[in-house]
Amino acid sequence: MECDKGLSKRYMNLKPEEVRFVDLFRILFSVNIDNKNFVDSKARKTKEDTFDIRWLIFLSIVAQKLLQFVSKPLSFIGSTLELLLNLLSFNTNIIVLLFNVLRGKVVVPDRESANFKSFVGKTDERTELDANIGRGDGMRYFAALSSMASKVSYENKAYIKAVVEDQWKMELLGSYDFRNDFQDKATTQAFICRDKTKDQDTIVVAFRGTEPFDADAWCTDIDLSWYKFQGAGKIHGGFMKALGMQKCAGWSKEVKKDVNGGGPLAYYTIRDMLREILTENDRTKFIVTGHSLGGALAILFPAVLAFHEEKLLLERLEGVYTFGQPRVGDGKFGNYMEKTFRENGINYYRFVYCNDMVPRVPYDYKGLLFKHFGTCVYHDRRYKGKVSTIVKTISHIGLI
């Protein structure tokens, strides 16, 4: 398929849905897998990395095929487990639940209610902002707010609305399910809120991370497709697709007609909303955040803004705060982003907790060479921070 890849002249796009059993052997043993039905590629090969790349492609495709195969039972397990956990909380505790069963008055959880929590939400039910960190505390406040927003992003729309408006006393601008053009379904979630007072006006964009029982999200994480942009290096294709890259138009500056007929695309929808709001008020700024997969999307959002030379938005971007973020690009991409952030005065802090494996993938392997960049705020299992001198002012927050 000949498609305009937008700003990318070299790329490798994996299509596991088109892989047959015999193709798996071709991946490992064929010296030329380019332009097969399961690989759309315009990549420069070297003798040193040809087999390594084929091996990584093999692992990625096999894992995606397995995830696609178990997607429905995996979703059922997750849904059932969430229902059981909420059944206990909706009925107070196990004793009251048993009593209600005997009386025939069991309170059945409503998945769309503001009281229903996701599996992730059940592991940590905190939603309150740190009372010791106020709006005047700058980066400390934005980091603390981002940590809660990243966590709340896993919840349903009613829950998010209740937390943002009733607890945080902020304005909810919207909760969204965004379409992945390559998976042809809505796989990306985010919410946007506005923290506006007489002294400050900040918009928060929070991307949801990988839900434990969501096969589509896991496929995004392990999709080793990549796109190489002039001057910006090689970038993880799975994350780019989740952010809103178009199947044939790539990262065209505007959405091509009929491309988003199946639903909105994350980058374009959020960018257009920010354009409108920032144009109305000169003092409005915004931050972008996310956990895990959400962290990857958070760092790629300003990258695409830079590709498109969105000067207004870059100037108003106060900072990017990610938690448990995986690697998203190679060393050249890191240099490109550091230069972009430096020129526009954008803060970037990447929070890492102890032995979390997600920040360590994709591996810094010779077939990929993905690298982290920017300031890392590392916390051990006792939440003791290890940071560079330029971020000592936020070292005691204790975020993961």
Side-chain angles (χ1 to χ4, degrees), residues 39-91:
V39 178
D40 179 18
S41 175
K42 287 186 179 179
R44 182 179 297 155
K45 289 185 176 181
T46 66
K47 294 180 180 179
E48 291 77 18
D49 64 12
T50 300
F51 179 77
D52 293 327
I53 290 176
R54 293 204 309 272
W55 173 243
L56 291 171
I57 290 173
F58 174 82
L59 293 178
S60 176
I61 288 181
V62 168
Q64 288 183 70
K65 295 291 283 186
L66 288 174
L67 283 167
Q68 291 170 355
F69 180 74
V70 301
S71 61
K72 289 185 177 180
L74 188 64
S75 177
F76 176 78
I77 293 171
S79 179
T80 302
L81 183 57
E82 280 186 347
L83 185 63
L84 291 174
L85 291 173
N86 280 276
L87 190 63
L88 286 175
S89 59
F90 271 61
N91 291 274

Side-chain angles (χ1 to χ4, degrees), residues 77-317:
I77 293 171
S79 179
T80 302
L81 183 57
E82 280 186 347
L83 185 63
L84 291 174
L85 291 173
N86 280 276
L87 190 63
L88 286 175
S89 59
F90 271 61
N91 291 274
T92 309
N93 55 49
I94 184 65
I95 296 175
V96 177
L97 173 60
L98 293 175
F99 183 62
N100 286 345
V101 170
L102 293 175
R103 295 191 306 157
K105 295 184 177 182
V106 176
V107 181
V108 180
D110 178 3
R111 291 184 178 275
E112 303 303 319
S113 78
N115 295 317
F116 191 94
K117 296 182 178 69
S118 68
F119 177 80
V120 173
K122 280 294 184 181
T123 63
D124 181 358
E125 299 192 11
R126 296 173 299 168
T127 56
E128 302 83 4
L129 298 177
D130 192 331
N132 298 315
I133 304 177
R135 288 182 171 88
D137 291 329
M139 289 183 293
R140 292 180 62 237
Y141 172 72
F142 292 129
L145 173 58
S146 293
S147 70
M148 283 295 115
S150 296
K151 192 167 77 67
V152 171
S153 67
Y154 285 92
E155 307 305 327
N156 65 57
K157 295 181 180 181
Y159 187 99
I160 294 173
K161 180 179 175 64
V163 170
V164 171
E165 296 184 350
D166 299 337
Q167 289 190 32
W168 298 353
K169 306 303 179 183
M170 300 178 188
E171 179 187 1
L172 180 64
L173 300 180
S175 297
Y176 303 93
D177 294 304
F178 294 113
R179 180 170 179 257
N180 184 321
D181 201 28
F182 291 78
Q183 293 187 16
D184 199 25
K185 65 177 76 171
T187 65
T188 303
Q189 290 77 32
F191 79 89
I192 305 173
C193 65
R194 190 172 189 174
D195 182 15
K196 187 175 182 180
T197 66
K198 64 178 182 179
D199 300 318
Q200 160 184 306
D201 187 1
T202 305
I203 297 170
V204 181
V205 179
F207 289 99
R208 183 182 299 182
T210 302
E211 296 181 278
F213 302 96
D214 186 347
D216 291 328
W218 284 109
C219 284
T220 293
D221 293 338
I222 63 176
D223 180 1
L224 292 185
S225 302
W226 56 263
Y227 297 86
K228 191 169 185 178
F229 295 92
Q230 185 174 1
K234 184 185 293 186
I235 305 173
H236 189 290
F239 301 148
M240 297 289 264
K241 296 171 185 177
L243 185 61
M245 187 174 184
Q246 300 169 69
K247 186 177 290 185
C248 283
W251 284 118
S252 60
K253 193 156 187 177
E254 304 297 335
V255 178
K256 299 295 185 182
K257 288 184 177 181
D258 301 325
V259 169
N260 65 332
L265 302 175
Y267 167 78
Y268 296 97
T269 302
I270 297 171
R271 182 201 62 182
D272 292 348
M273 175 184 288
L274 290 172
R275 272 181 184 169
E276 182 178 350
I277 296 174
L278 297 179
T279 302
E280 294 173 351
N281 193 326
D282 292 339
R283 73 186 186 97
T284 305
K285 293 189 176 183
F286 72 100
I287 60 176
V288 189
T289 188
H291 168 257
S292 184
L293 167 61
L297 302 183
I299 196 62
L300 285 179
F301 183 77
V304 185
L305 291 179
F307 297 159
H308 290 162
E309 299 180 336
E310 294 283 351
K311 186 177 180 181
L312 172 64
L313 273 68
L314 290 172
E315 288 177 347
R316 301 286 192 87
L317 176 55

Side-chain angles (χ1 to χ4, degrees), residues 321-366:
Y321 302 87
T322 68
F323 304 86
Q325 173 207 313
R327 298 183 177 102
V328 297
D330 62 10
K332 192 171 183 179
F333 173 72
N335 293 335
Y336 174 81
M337 291 306 297
E338 287 186 333
K339 181 174 182 290
T340 298
F341 288 164
R342 185 171 58 252
E343 290 178 347
N344 292 279
I346 300 169
N347 297 304
Y348 170 48
Y349 295 103
R350 182 173 56 83
F351 293 83
V352 177
Y353 173 69
C354 198
N355 296 318
D356 185 359
M357 284 300 299
V358 176
R360 295 165 173 82
V361 296
Y363 295 111
D364 185 4
Y365 182 69
K366 67 180 181 178

